[in-house]
Amino acid sequence: MTDLKLVSSVRCFEGEQRRYEHQARTLDCTMQFSVYLPPQALRSEHVPAVLWLSGLTCTDENFSAKAGAQRVAAELGLALIIPDTSPRGDQVADDDAYDFGKGAGFYVNATEQPWAKHYQMYDYISKELIELVHKELPLNGRLSISGHSMGGHGALIMALRETERFESVSAFAPIAHPSACPWGLKAFTGYLGEDRAKWQDYDAVSLMRQGQQCPPLLVDQGSDDNFLAEQLNFSLLEETVKSLDSPSHLRLQKGYDHSYYFIASFIEEHLRFHHSYLTS
């Protein structure tokens, strides 16, 4: 018996873009996530995967529809695993704001009520979902992680905390130091409470300052991103990354903003970056 229900499947670059549904134990709700399986996986080969974490207001479908990643993933033989950004369902607590509640789980394990019952996104992604896709899909166990904005924050903290799990990590415009920006202050106070010591496990800059090592890293940030000055702390991430022993490449891309046009412009380079480590 499979733990997954196939919701949809469409042909794409000789592979398949799929959407699955399952009952998430960690989140205590029904979740959907998207997967791209390259043609190699359809020929019964077991392939490496890149886990993609999306940003605020996104679902599992934004990246698959807008980033244009499937063509390169098909060429390289990479599966793409694309979860949702929060728990879902009528029983799940929500907020009227776009940057808190549904669509804005921030990839943390909430400890405050009413969020703690369902908002266990860190454990859902890093444990339950990864175990599930490797059990149910033709994957070979080698995994890298990437993400955008809130998802870039999620990718960085998971790579820093789960160093044995990921071969490499990349991010587009990540919220690098959420403990010191409006988005993060709101989310961490709501989900984790007022004790800022509890926030540090979910803050990439803080984890690096504590000496946590990182897999090989690639970060792209647009110079014309309207969130750059207030929310993202890219320059602080640049400064902090200098303490890492692993290879790191941080690039400020002139003229690019925060949108999926930015992601689509550089996703091929990110996938090739991950492929070099996933197949080495």
Side-chain angles (χ1 to χ4, degrees), residues 117-157:
K117 177 175 174 58
H118 298 289
Y119 284 75
Q120 302 294 310
M121 286 298 293
Y122 186 91
D123 280 354
Y124 170 66
I125 302 292
S126 67
K127 296 181 173 62
E128 182 175 357
L129 184 64
I130 289 176
E131 292 173 4
L132 178 64
V133 296
H134 282 92
K135 172 187 173 185
E136 300 283 355
L137 301 175
L139 306 180
N140 68 9
R142 304 201 74 178
L143 184 64
S144 291
I145 189 168
S146 185
H148 171 231
S149 193
M150 180 185 72
H153 141 75
L156 290 175
I157 62 169

Side-chain angles (χ1 to χ4, degrees), residues 201-235:
D201 285 344
Y202 301 107
D203 187 304
V205 166
S206 296
L207 289 167
M208 291 177 185
R209 285 174 172 173
Q210 294 167 18
Q212 193 66 44
Q213 290 305 305
C214 185
L217 171 67
L218 172 63
V219 176
D220 277 316
Q221 171 64 59
S223 67
D224 288 10
D225 188 326
N226 58 318
F227 299 115
L228 177 56
E230 185 178 31
Q231 302 283 10
L232 303 178
N233 284 299
F234 179 72
S235 59

Side-chain angles (χ1 to χ4, degrees), residues 173-213:
I175 306 172
H177 191 27
S179 297
C181 76
W183 277 340
L185 288 169
K186 179 178 181 178
F188 284 6
T189 302
Y191 293 137
L192 304 173
E194 298 286 349
D195 184 357
R196 296 196 176 202
K198 297 178 180 178
W199 300 5
Q200 305 314 304
D201 285 344
Y202 301 107
D203 187 304
V205 166
S206 296
L207 289 167
M208 291 177 185
R209 285 174 172 173
Q210 294 167 18
Q212 193 66 44
Q213 290 305 305

